[in-house]
Amino acid sequence: MKKFLILDCYVDEPTCLGVPPFVSPYPRYIYGALISAGLSNENIVYNTIDHLRMNNYHFTEGYDHVFIIGGAAVPGKYLGSRIGTLSEINKILERNSKTKMSIGGSISPLIKSASSNISTIQYDIDKFAFTLTQGNPVDERRTIEECALWSIRGAEIVKHHPWYPNIICEIESGRGCPRQVHCSFCLEGLDREIEFRKPKDIINEIDALISHGVFRFRIGKQADIIQYGTLLNKYNKGFPQPNIHAVKELFDELKKHKESGKIEVLNVDNANPGTIVNWPDESSIILESIADAVTPGDTLPFGIESFDESVVQQNNLKVMPDDALFAIRLVNEIGGKREDGIPKLLPGINLIHGLKGETTDTFKINHKYLERISHEGLLLKRINIRKLQPYPGTPIFNEKHKIGNVITKRFEYYRDRIRDEIDNSMLKKIYPPGTILKNVCVLDLRNEYSIGKQIASYSITVKVPTVFPKMDFIDTIVMAHRERSILALPVPFSINSVSQKNFEIIPGISKAKAAELILKRPFHTIDSFTDELTNVHGELVKVIREKSLV
Ligand code: SF4
């Protein structure tokens, strides 16, 4: 019996996340392609890089072919998980050199191996897998029809994911960048063929995943969700007219799934502020529809990249600074209303260092605009600041653009200021003390703290001074804010058994007062405890009272 391995080394690409708890479409589509090629599920094994790490990067059995997926165009830090790196993938190739392997995902062009056993796949590895098992392997794009079928047939693979059922599935809605001009650094811009999946195909895939126990989804694998289904027949400054009908058809159905309880978490990813600025009327209707469908606390990330006009021009970025502000305002206006105490949908911002035209002033300008956004009372759910790692094939890579040390030092100075000044004040406004954050999944334990996140897009890190088993889900009450994280109390709050640290994180309670509270235990009533909280804000005391247990 032939045996195939799908090895998921996880991906973090500009338009696709597949680091746990996220599961990218790559392994799902490959599995669906293999099943469609006539293989049975006994022929296919799904493993992840975590499994290979435990086996010193050796396969534990023989395979006819191994399909490796990897992509860390911009390696990041992940709570509770670790993406497979290029050096790890190279180790796998070396230590299993007798096995035939193919590599897909954005790591593929970085693999330099002369072995005839190794194929680097430029197009779709699922299509390669399908044609390989038919005896005629080709490296080409899958069709929309193949995608529709393979995505459904591949859904059952999620049951073999090490984090199942604590996962969120990244759902593809289309590929290629619908903009006529492309940014100097972007991989997506290299994909000249723009295509969108049909709403019914996306919903059918989601239904298949639901039938296999998935209830969290992010419509995330696309360049710009506002442009979903654009007809590409009318442009304003290089941005096509959005297709209201297509977006509404998709999100109305997703909303119905959410309301019927089939979907518990619904998120989106990636929107282009240039679309919003150039098509404000269409964009407003679309944003209303998306904000209505998603679950509270969602983020709409904008690739602003820089607020420096010269950098915007030299890198063909999407928007000038004032246009960026317009898009940020509009999303705040439409998505900023609170549901369950949390803003429904807020913009996020991506900034990049390493673009053409940067000077020592660039980062001061970025800081100034972010300060302006904050002073206007606008909210940003997330400010992502990263150093560019030019990717092969992109214009900026081909030009071998160099960055001076002085500029990098300036970048680091302003990055830290943004973290201290802007990020922190945004966090306080988005999650004021007393906000309830439900279903936080414990992913790590450090110094008597449980550290976790909600299984959702760009969820905030929550630190709770009580130890819970890893992968437990807890409800929490926000107390204080740290750099890009929140300190919170567990719900229920057991006042007679929690550690002193729990009392110390309540705003208004000093270390000495926390020690005094410990000595005064046991409290026989909740009121006798809350009567002690004289320096704590009344509204916060109310929430603590509601969630306390004697
Ligand atoms: S607008 Fe720029 S960054 Fe966004 S997908 Fe297109 S080319 Fe890439």
Side-chain angles (χ1 to χ4, degrees), residues 291 294-299 335-346 379 381 427 429-432 434-440 454 458-460 462 476 478 486:
V294 295
T295 40
D298 200 10
T299 313
K337 288 167 217 95
R338 287 181 188 262
E339 203 174 293
D340 296 339
I342 301 166
K344 195 79 188 289
L345 176 73
L346 289 176
L379 296 179
K381 174 80 186 307
L427 264 190
K429 287 187 236 171
I430 296 170
Y431 307 102
T435 304
I436 305 290
L437 285 178
K438 289 187 179 163
N439 291 322
V440 173
Q454 290 172 319
Y458 305 114
S459 53
I460 187 76
V462 183
T476 63
V478 175
I486 272 170

Side-chain angles (χ1 to χ4, degrees), residues 115-127:
S115 166
S116 60
N117 275 344
I118 294 164
S119 315
T120 52
I121 306 301
Q122 188 184 352
Y123 296 102
D124 292 321
I125 189 166
D126 39 89
K127 178 78 173 203

